[in-house]
Amino acid sequence: MIEFKCSSCGLTLNVSDEKAGKKGRCPQCGAVMIIPPADLLSMSEADHPTDRTGSVSGHSSASSDSFDGIGGSLLTGAIEKDRDHRDGHERRCKLCRTIIQSGVTVCPNCGALLQDAGARPDSPTSGVQSCPSCGDSLPGEAMICVRCGIRIRSGRPIVTARDMDPDEMETRAENVIRPISWLIPFGLYPFFSEAMGKSKPIATWAIVIVTVIASAWFWAYEWSGSTEMRSLKNLMLWSGDAKPDSDWIIAFYNQTNYGDAEAFVAKREELAGTVPDDELDVRTYEALTGEQQCLGRYRFSQLITHAFLHGGLLHLAGNMLFLLVFGSRVNAVVGNIATVVLYFLLAIAAGLAHLSAAAAEMPMPMLGASGAIMGMAGMYLMLFPIHKVHMVIWMRWGLIAGFRLSSKIFALWGVLVVLSYIAFDVFYTALGAETTVAHWAHLGGFIAGFCLAAVLLMG
């Protein structure tokens, strides 16, 4: 006969030897477990005094940890536990297999809780269970301890933090800053977040790659003066419902290649003398086709396409840096498919906010991913408010100082970093200042991201 204890309720069970290694249910609590072989229990008894119920001296009940059929393999867990005890009281993390020294309760590699069997939660069927971390009593159906953020079944934190060697961090930052500082003498940017999740941020890197390629492709046509821009201009987000005046139209024909300037001049000569001079430019513009006109027209697709285009290299680099720091951490928690969907939703929300704010103005194009990225920052604020974000500030001194580069790395809570950046948008919109930055797109994306993250947490 094999005598052992139930991993959930502690009931002593006796079964025949031929059932060793098979799954079974506890008749008292219904918990599923794998029945340990008799020779394995005998091996534990030979090395550690037991009370014939599988409880090993110096450890919690073997059946409650290693023999838990839900938590992992019975035989592998029991053998590893016995081997670890004999090899200098070392044990391995069940999630990442890192060797853990005796007395350590949290895996330094993945953040998993390293509790013995006695710390595992009670059976959900009992109506009450205990958090494996703080020991707080929870309802039987609870999945997460809201007090300490631990998953009840696995004992693993919902979100963990990762650390980087300070020397390595400083070296990486300096290698990036040194060439950039010649173009931007002074800067203050985030470059590393300690927040971690379960997924690799593949979607974020894919978005970055697509954005870089799309922006470079767009620049090639715009900077070369290609006539293709007459149709490509509608990839940007065009806002403003006011009727353009003569000065606005002439300025766009002179400064951009969005329209057919020759067709405009020809049509203007054709209409000269038939309409008043003060209306000639506007009437000429209205008589042209969409591709000949220098101003684009709003299309729903622009709410997404505008987020993959940028106005210059610095604009692109700054946005992609923020996306990698904040977006990749959100990506790691919500997953790759959800990240793509959320990014599109945030881009749409940012675009709609910009359209609403600029409705009374004359037509003007807007492009850039900053609205969607501020949406990711809003989600980061909700999900990782106190995880540290490492910032770097630098100054490239002038000729008198020999163009010496000074830099400093420091860490702040995520909530302080995100709120400090959104504060600039709040400040400018409150003052009604006119700048080339789409502040309302930032605010719209940020609010949408914050709300979406709240919905995900409530769900």
Side-chain angles (χ1 to χ4, degrees):
M1 296 290 289
I2 300 175
E3 182 178 342
F4 63 102
K5 281 187 176 181
C6 172
S7 60
S8 296
C9 66
L11 178 66
T12 300
L13 302 173
N14 291 280
V15 298
S16 58
D17 293 342
E18 60 268 16
K19 293 186 179 180
K22 296 181 179 180
K23 285 187 177 181
R25 289 185 179 275
C26 175
Q28 177 169 291
C29 66
V32 179
M33 67 191 76
I34 300 179
I35 300 170
D39 57 349
L40 187 58
L41 289 176
S42 299
M43 179 182 66
S44 297
E45 292 174 4
D47 292 327
H48 315 290
T50 67
D51 57 4
R52 294 292 300 163
T53 61
S55 178
V56 183
S57 176
H59 294 271
S60 300
S61 169
S63 63
S64 180
D65 185 12
S66 301
F67 298 158
D68 185 356
I70 299 176
S73 170
L74 167 74
L75 300 180
T76 302
I79 293 172
E80 284 183 356
K81 184 174 182 180
D82 183 72
R83 183 192 302 121
D84 291 341
H85 180 82
R86 287 178 290 168
D87 294 341
H89 295 281
E90 291 184 350
R91 61 196 191 281
R92 290 182 180 270
C93 172
K94 292 183 179 180
L95 294 177
C96 66
R97 312 306 301 161
T98 299
I99 296 178
I100 309 298
Q101 297 295 331
S102 177
V104 177
T105 58
V106 177
C107 176
N109 183 47
C110 69
L113 188 67
L114 304 173
Q115 294 270 351
D116 285 335
R120 297 184 70 86
D122 300 328
S123 171
T125 59
S126 64
V128 179
Q129 57 181 330
S130 299
C131 172
S133 175
C134 65
D136 196 17
S137 296
L138 302 169
E141 66 275 10
M143 300 177 64
I144 297 172
C145 175
V146 295
R147 178 180 178 184
C148 61
I150 293 293
R151 294 184 185 274
I152 304 303
R153 285 188 176 274
S154 67
R156 183 176 184 177
I158 299 174
V159 178
T160 56
R162 60 175 179 172
D163 200 3
M164 182 183 287
D165 180 76
D167 294 334
E168 180 184 358
M169 187 183 303
E170 187 171 349
T171 300
R172 286 188 181 183
E174 186 175 353
N175 290 338
V176 175
I177 293 169
R178 190 167 296 279
I180 293 178
S181 62
W182 291 104
L183 298 174
I184 308 176
F186 174 79
L188 174 62
Y189 286 94
F191 73 96
F192 177 73
S193 169
E194 292 184 356
M196 282 189 67
K198 65 183 185 299
S199 303
K200 291 184 178 180
I202 298 174
T204 302
W205 279 102
I207 291 172
V208 169
I209 293 172
V210 172
T211 303
V212 170
I213 294 174
S215 296
W217 168 77
F218 190 77
W219 298 338
Y221 286 109
E222 185 173 27
W223 296 348
S224 65
S226 172
T227 56
E228 290 293 327
M229 285 302 300
R230 297 172 187 176
S231 58
L232 295 180
K233 66 177 180 286
N234 286 313
L235 294 177
M236 299 182 287
L237 178 61
W238 286 88
S239 62
D241 298 329
K243 186 176 181 180
D245 58 24
S246 177
D247 292 339
W248 196 255
I249 294 171
I250 296 301
F252 267 85
Y253 272 117
N254 290 336
Q255 299 175 17
T256 72
N257 54 337
Y258 297 165
D260 189 342
E262 294 180 357
F264 176 80
V265 173
K267 179 62 70 173
R268 191 176 189 278
E269 293 176 352
E270 179 183 333
L271 295 179
T274 62
V275 296
D277 291 343
D278 58 345
E279 299 180 8
L280 181 58
D281 291 330
V282 175
R283 295 284 292 274
T284 301
Y285 171 80
E286 293 174 344
L288 298 175
T289 63
E291 288 196 1
Q292 292 173 333
Q293 291 177 345
C294 60
L295 303 175
R297 297 178 181 178
Y298 167 74
R299 299 173 183 174
F300 179 79
S301 59
Q302 295 172 1
L303 292 173
I304 294 177
T305 57
H306 82 276
F308 292 91
L309 306 176
H310 288 78
L313 183 60
L314 295 180
H315 184 205
L316 174 66
N319 277 350
M320 294 303 98
L321 175 62
F322 273 76
L323 179 58
L324 288 173
V325 173
F326 297 116
S328 63
R329 298 304 92 215
V330 175
N331 186 172
V333 171
V334 303
N336 290 304
I337 296 178
T339 296
V340 175
V341 175
L342 288 170
Y343 190 78
F344 286 168
L345 291 177
L346 293 172
I348 292 173
L352 291 175
H354 176 74
L355 289 175
S356 177
E361 300 176 1
M362 284 186 286
M364 186 71 179
M366 191 271 281
L367 74 172
S370 54
I373 294 170
M374 286 307 298
M376 285 291 182
M379 296 189 69
Y380 186 97
L381 177 62
M382 173 62 75
L383 297 174
F384 315 105
I386 62 173
H387 280 73
K388 290 182 179 179
V389 176
H390 293 267
M391 308 286 295
V392 59
I393 183 172
W394 73 85
M395 169 67 80
R396 173 72 73 175
W397 301 99
L399 179 62
I400 297 177
F403 296 101
R404 180 172 57 89
L405 175 64
S406 299
S407 62
K408 176 69 175 179
I409 296 174
F410 59 96
L412 295 173
W413 284 351
V415 60
L416 298 178
V417 176
V418 174
L419 291 182
S420 64
Y421 280 106
I422 200 65
F424 285 101
D425 295 301
V426 174
F427 176 77
Y428 280 107
T429 53
L431 292 180
E434 294 185 3
T435 67
T436 57
V437 179
H439 296 292
W440 276 107
H442 294 181
L443 292 173
F446 176 80
I447 295 172
F450 189 85
C451 294
L452 284 172
V455 170
L456 290 176
L457 288 179
M458 289 188 293

